[in-house]
Amino acid sequence: MPANPPENMPRITPYLFYEDVAKALGWLAQAFGFRERLRMPGPDGSIGHAEMELADGVVMLGRPSADYRNPKRLGGVTQNIYVYVDDVDKHFERAKRAGAVILSEPKDQFYGDRHYGALDPEGHQWYFAQHIRDVAPEDMKPPA
């Protein structure tokens, strides 16, 4: 039995719950530039599982069952997803044009990244970043 993930799958892959997976697939493509790579129907014919990719990253999507809830249904944030992109300012403009709820505008961070935050229609928080400079760990000091 193989011990590693399939060749086309990263070792760590977030799995996010969306009540409307089909709508999420379209929105994530339009707003964030993800590309659909897999769509599997559920027993009722709607999408039960899907996968999207951005560069070498993969996100899995599925519908929440009785035991699982997405952030929108919970009424709170359950995690943040941090994604590196080539041009964070251009990515920000794309997300804004697509109607993403902007949590924070692009800003240089003390640890060497420039990032912005956005909320998707079902409450997942996304942070998109571009590494702009190397900072030694001993020099990483958050603003007071």
Side-chain angles (χ1 to χ4, degrees):
M1 187 186 280
N4 293 323
E7 191 173 305
N8 66 345
M9 186 63 73
R11 192 168 286 269
I12 297 174
T13 304
Y15 198 110
L16 305 176
F17 292 106
Y18 290 91
E19 292 180 9
D20 189 336
V21 176
K23 184 176 178 182
L25 287 169
W27 194 89
L28 291 170
Q30 180 184 7
F32 297 155
F34 283 89
R35 290 173 308 285
E36 184 177 329
R37 66 182 240 156
L38 177 70
R39 181 185 293 225
M40 294 171 49
D44 64 357
S46 64
I47 302 170
H49 172 83
E51 296 175 7
M52 298 194 85
E53 61 188 1
L54 181 67
D56 61 349
V58 175
V59 176
M60 294 183 184
L61 293 78
R63 285 195 335 251
S65 66
D67 295 335
Y68 299 95
R69 302 283 185 275
N70 65 16
K72 182 179 176 182
R73 188 66 63 191
L74 284 172
V77 176
T78 57
Q79 82 284 316
N80 294 319
I81 302 137
Y82 202 85
V83 181
Y84 282 99
V85 296
D86 293 333
D87 184 335
V88 73
D89 293 295
K90 183 177 176 183
H91 196 275
F92 169 75
E93 291 301 326
R94 175 186 185 141
K96 199 163 85 168
R97 278 193 312 274
V101 174
I102 302 302
L103 300 170
S104 60
E105 298 210 358
K107 181 179 178 187
D108 294 355
Q109 303 298 320
F110 68 92
Y111 46 85
D113 287 356
R114 179 174 177 77
H115 81 233
Y116 78 93
L119 192 66
D120 75 22
E122 293 206 25
H124 298 286
Q125 283 192 5
W126 297 82
Y127 285 86
F128 292 93
Q130 178 179 354
H131 189 69
I132 55 173
R133 70 183 183 290
D134 292 333
V135 180
E138 60 273 11
D139 295 330
M140 289 186 192
K141 295 183 178 39

